Amino acid sequence: MKFARFVKAYVELIIFFLKLVLPKNTRQPNTLLLINTSQIGDLIVSSILLENPKVFEKYKKVDFLIKAKYLELFSNYSGKVNFYGYNYKKYKKSIFYKYSLLAKLRKNGYEKCIHLTAARGILNEEITHLIGAGETYTLNSYREYLGGALGK
């Protein structure tokens, strides 16, 4: 139990400092970021959204953040959605990589963010929370273990 409290405190401290140094999100109207940080099965299920272009009609910009190792799956996609990959291991272990990815996403100024991953782990929530979108949505409402800044 002490270890869990330590991890929560550590994550909250990192989030606090990242919020201080990350560039301001200048939200652009009608912009959407879809995030799927999970494995290939969840990614394939969430890619069903791409089959219906009407879903994205009202958005002038739609981006999809996925693990870089899965970018090749969408190499033949020719729709409205732009795909961005990130290195999960680097994001998890390097504060500099984490900062650069989050800064890039914040500069894009998303109005809405939808996290399509079924699991709500700390790293998933961190990305969703720190990009600074005006509205954020997730598929799973269970957040009890997240606590503090992420448990809102």
Side-chain angles (χ1 to χ4, degrees):
M1 198 59 147
K2 288 182 183 180
F3 180 73
R5 277 188 257 152
F6 170 77
V7 170
K8 282 183 186 178
Y10 175 75
V11 169
E12 288 178 7
L13 183 66
I14 294 292
I15 289 173
F16 172 76
F17 284 116
L18 281 171
K19 280 178 142 179
L20 289 176
V21 298
L22 283 169
K24 184 169 173 46
N25 180 342
T26 53
R27 294 187 189 118
Q28 307 292 325
N30 299 321
T31 54
L32 172 67
L33 176 66
L34 302 169
I35 301 174
N36 192 319
T37 56
S38 195
Q39 299 303 323
I40 195 165
D42 286 341
L43 185 59
I44 290 171
V45 170
S46 65
S47 69
I48 292 171
L49 288 172
L50 306 174
E51 299 291 323
N52 186 355
K54 291 181 181 181
V55 172
F56 306 116
E57 277 180 351
K58 72 177 188 174
Y59 297 103
K60 66 179 183 181
K61 179 180 179 180
V62 181
D63 294 337
F64 200 156
L65 180 68
I66 61 175
K67 290 179 179 177
K69 65 183 180 180
Y70 299 129
L71 277 174
E72 193 176 326
L73 292 172
F74 300 100
S75 60
N76 294 328
Y77 175 76
S78 60
K80 186 176 184 175
V81 178
N82 304 307
F83 290 89
Y84 293 102
Y86 78 102
N87 185 314
Y88 175 77
K89 289 182 181 177
K90 283 173 93 175
Y91 183 85
K92 188 175 176 180
K93 295 180 180 180
S94 170
I95 190 75
F96 301 109
Y97 183 81
K98 185 178 293 202
Y99 174 83
S100 68
L101 177 67
L102 292 171
K104 177 182 169 185
L105 293 172
R106 285 180 75 93
K107 284 180 184 175
N108 286 340
Y110 299 105
E111 179 183 45
K112 292 184 183 177
C113 173
I114 302 175
H115 201 289
L116 300 171
T117 306
R120 288 189 70 180
I122 290 176
L123 292 179
N124 300 339
E125 291 294 307
E126 183 180 84
I127 294 172
T128 306
H129 184 69
L130 290 176
I131 64 159
E135 299 175 35
T136 58
Y137 303 94
T138 185
L139 297 180
N140 186 344
S141 64
Y142 182 73
R143 61 178 186 246
E144 196 171 303
Y145 67 92
L146 294 172
L150 295 175
K152 294 179 181 172

